[in-house]
Amino acid sequence: MAYSSEISRTQPACILLLIDQSGSMDDPFGGQGGTRKKAEGVADVTNRLVQNLVVRCAREEGIRDYFHLGVLGYGEKVGSAFSGALAGRGLVPISAVGHAPARLEERTREREDGMGGLVREKVRFPIWVEPHAHGPTPMCEVLLRARELVTAWMREHPESFPPIVVNISDGEPTDGDPTEGAAGLRSVRGADGEVLLLNVHLSSNPAVPIQFPDAETHLPDAHARRLFSLSSPLTQGMLAAARDEGHAVREGARGFVFNADILSLIKFLNIGTRPSNLR
Amino acid sequence: MRIALEVMGVQKDGNAPTENEDAAAPEHSAVLVEDSLHVAVADGATESLFSGLWARLLAREYATGQMREPSGLLQALPGLQRRWLAEVEGRELPWYAQEKLREGAFATVLGVSLARTPAGADGIVGTWSALAVGDSCLFQVRDARLVRSFPLELASSFGSRPFLVSTHGAQNARVAAQAREMTGEVRVGDTLLLMTDALAHWFLGEHERGGRPWLSLPGEDDRSAFESFVAGLRAARSLRNDDTTLMRLSVEA
């Protein structure tokens, strides 16, 4: 059965994030009323995804290399979006990622205290990727680059869970129709199935968030519909994880979210028992 | 009551023995002659930090005889949580470990208590009571039949996201509701088997296919017999690659 490979240190999984760093990322997120720029939203989503993966791999003795991770930016140039010590690197073992954030920001977070209240606590928030918003949106080019990276990786890890590519964008490519590039990327396969391409659409359209639709009929614009069409159907594991998180997903649902978080789909990757009371 | 206790365990393939997050209490095989006996296995969740330590604390606490029912577990939890925190908080930890510690550690626990009763004509020499949170299982075998399976009775009931006992009070709101209890009688010749989830899942599947899996389980006389038994099942993909623990209690008289 496809998408059932165990994720282990001897058989790691690969996650490659593609982040839109074009000029349009200077626009406010969620419409003119929005107070944050999309570029900040992208950087935030990316840093939280990376942090989540590192923490999931943390054990008493350090960070276990259950994943190899890369971040490609596309805007003025196409290439590694890591800043700090990892600048310029492609796919990196997650332990190296965890040990080398560019910096640690201090943030305040609210957490449930278990008695119905909230407590505020200071946390250190690691930053690997900074907001950028310059130039065009070469999505076709980044899909091609992604294909090269995951093809080389798959050759080294033919039995592994297939690479997961997460494209975070506002959906307006400037270098042509990305349909073919996306199909080429999704066609890269190993023993356990084909590459999964998930898309996160951060839109200026203040429409309500949409997660894991199974048809494009309710999507608000052409860009959203196109990113939907590029997205892989959710695997059985992803469907189950999405349902565990409270989403009413149907068979045929795609790995696509509109103005929403994709973290729940990364959480489904099983690297051992995950308690149901751990959120 | 004379009980032969055998304890066997092996870590997930690819891990070091020190990375085994299962726990058993007592940790070593022995022949015990007691009026009462408390044993436990616990399975720390791979996705949490210092969960092997948490599993050991839970199993050992049960084996002291202090938490035989859900109310005992609820009473014991705050003290155990403090002990876990005291052990891990003193350490200088990098950012990711500090972040992970906020999530807490998680483990299943399955405890079984045996108490001697006056010998009856039908061979009954005692009673057992069991307490479980999560998917570690107890099986009772009598006269070449599986007579009890607890808390799960079907191989299909095993999921990848069981409810577990946490080191964090905020995660334990449903512990009392999720804790299961069961009691039964023991006769001379009965066997009680405690297993963590991967082995329990295999055991129930084999039984559902008409097999008598208890006959395949090796004795503890040498560690390598259990290791090769587990390795064989893993190689055949009959057993999930996970930390694996088996405790067997043979009621002798």
Side-chain angles (χ1 to χ4, degrees):
Chain A
M1 200 173 77
Y3 306 111
S4 59
S5 276
E6 179 189 59
I7 297 174
S8 64
R9 283 169 284 185
T10 49
Q11 206 173 275
C14 167
I15 296 182
L16 178 61
L17 311 176
L18 314 179
I19 60 174
D20 189 339
Q21 298 185 320
S22 65
S24 61
M25 288 286 127
D26 236 356
D27 294 346
F29 177 63
Q32 287 309 314
T35 54
R36 303 191 70 215
K37 291 178 174 179
K38 282 194 275 187
E40 292 164 358
V42 168
D44 230 39
V45 170
T46 307
N47 287 318
R48 284 202 301 120
L49 258 170
V50 176
Q51 180 193 25
N52 186 275
L53 287 170
V54 171
V55 169
R56 287 192 61 191
C57 299
R59 297 294 180 270
E60 282 92 316
E61 76 284 3
I63 302 168
R64 293 187 187 170
D65 282 324
Y66 292 120
F67 297 107
H68 290 170
L69 178 91
V71 188
L72 292 178
Y74 56 107
E76 217 164 16
K77 64 180 185 66
V78 173
S80 171
F82 284 125
S83 54
L86 298 174
R89 301 275 303 269
L91 289 166
V92 183
I94 195 77
S95 60
V97 175
H99 289 129
R103 58 196 171 84
L104 289 168
E105 270 184 19
E106 191 153 285
R107 294 193 180 184
T108 306
R109 185 170 62 184
E110 287 189 334
R111 179 174 61 81
E112 289 179 27
D113 65 2
M115 291 173 286
L118 292 171
V119 285
R120 288 169 74 82
E121 60 185 8
K122 282 209 166 71
V123 292
R124 286 187 289 167
F125 186 80
I127 305 291
W128 291 271
V129 170
E130 305 283 355
H132 282 290
H134 291 291
T137 311
M139 195 185 290
C140 296
E141 190 183 337
V142 81
L143 290 170
L144 202 62
R145 187 74 64 86
R147 182 177 179 173
E148 290 166 8
L149 270 180
V150 298
T151 303
W153 189 89
M154 199 83 256
R155 216 175 283 135
E156 300 280 312
H157 305 88
E159 307 287 328
S160 277
F161 193 98
I164 298 174
V165 181
V166 183
N167 178 35
I168 307 169
S169 154
D170 69 351
E172 297 183 53
T174 52
D175 62 347
D177 184 348
T179 306
E180 203 179 312
L185 177 59
R186 292 195 312 266
S187 72
V188 176
R189 60 174 302 131
D192 195 39
E194 295 177 342
V195 165
L196 294 165
L197 176 60
L198 316 179
N199 283 284
V200 179
H201 187 180
L202 292 184
S203 171
S204 301
N205 185 329
V208 289
I210 297 172
Q211 287 180 291
F212 319 125
D214 52 274
E216 58 177 44
T217 40
H218 297 295
L219 297 176
D221 58 41
H223 301 308
R225 286 193 286 277
R226 175 151 63 193
L227 283 179
F228 168 85
S229 74
L230 305 183
S231 306
S232 300
L234 299 185
T235 65
Q236 290 306 310
M238 289 175 159
L239 282 169
R243 286 177 185 138
D244 277 350
E245 297 279 325
H247 301 296
V249 289
R250 290 192 289 227
E251 291 291 324
R254 301 278 186 103
F256 171 76
V257 299
F258 177 84
N259 286 353
D261 206 334
I262 199 136
L263 216 62
S264 63
L265 281 192
I266 305 298
K267 282 188 192 162
F268 97 97
L269 293 166
N270 276 327
I271 49 174
T273 306
R274 185 173 175 80
S276 68
N277 40 335
L278 172 59
R279 288 286 169 195
Chain B
M1 199 166 31
R2 185 182 159 92
I3 307 282
L5 170 73
E6 298 165 280
V7 186
M8 291 159 267
V10 61
Q11 76 279 3
K12 177 175 176 158
D13 192 27
N15 284 8
T18 52
E19 292 172 343
N20 191 339
E21 288 157 333
D22 276 2
E27 288 176 9
H28 302 290
S29 303
V31 174
L32 301 158
V33 182
E34 308 276 357
D35 284 344
S36 68
L37 176 64
H38 312 282
V39 301
V41 298
D43 174 2
T46 315
E47 284 234 5
S48 57
L49 199 63
F50 299 110
S51 58
L53 168 65
W54 180 232
R56 286 193 295 280
L57 285 170
L58 286 168
R60 286 174 187 168
E61 182 71 11
Y62 186 92
T64 64
Q66 302 301 304
M67 50 184 243
R68 296 180 53 184
E69 58 284 307
S71 60
L73 173 62
L74 288 180
Q75 273 175 9
L77 275 179
L80 294 174
Q81 288 162 351
R82 278 195 296 276
R83 277 159 63 189
W84 181 86
L85 263 182
E87 285 222 28
V88 302
E89 271 193 338
R91 309 176 191 209
E92 187 67 37
L93 294 170
W95 71 266
Y96 49 82
Q98 287 181 13
E99 182 69 23
K100 188 134 184 155
L101 275 189
R102 286 191 189 92
E103 296 177 351
F106 293 79
T108 71
V109 62
L110 166 69
V112 177
S113 296
L114 284 176
R116 191 170 72 91
T117 56
D122 46 3
I124 291 170
V125 292
T127 57
W128 61 262
S129 62
L131 170 68
V133 180
D135 53 8
S136 292
C137 290
L138 167 70
F139 303 110
Q140 183 175 20
V141 178
R142 173 182 292 167
D143 299 334
R145 277 194 317 123
L146 178 65
V147 295
R148 203 61 77 81
S149 171
F150 168 81
L152 302 182
E153 297 181 340
L154 294 170
S156 58
S157 304
F158 287 84
S160 60
R161 303 202 58 191
F163 182 90
L164 305 179
V165 185
S166 175
T167 53
H168 280 27
Q171 306 277 17
N172 282 336
R174 292 185 289 132
V175 162
Q178 294 284 335
R180 300 283 173 266
E181 290 178 279
M182 178 75 87
T183 58
E185 293 173 326
V186 285
R187 285 187 202 165
V188 172
D190 280 3
T191 304
L192 297 177
L193 299 160
L194 285 72
M195 300 178 196
T196 50
D197 60 333
L199 192 62
H201 185 214
W202 164 82
F203 186 95
L204 275 174
E206 282 293 295
H207 185 251
E208 287 165 14
R209 284 186 285 275
R212 291 195 283 175
W214 53 91
L215 296 177
S216 318
L217 297 169
E220 58 74 51
D221 33 1
D222 67 310
R223 177 177 164 85
S224 63
F226 187 68
E227 284 178 357
S228 36
F229 167 74
V230 166
L233 290 182
R234 284 176 185 164
R237 292 181 172 265
S238 306
L239 183 74
R240 199 159 50 79
N241 184 19
D242 195 0
D243 298 333
T244 299
T245 299
L246 167 66
M247 188 183 268
R248 174 164 42 211
L249 288 79
S250 306
V251 182
E252 296 185 343

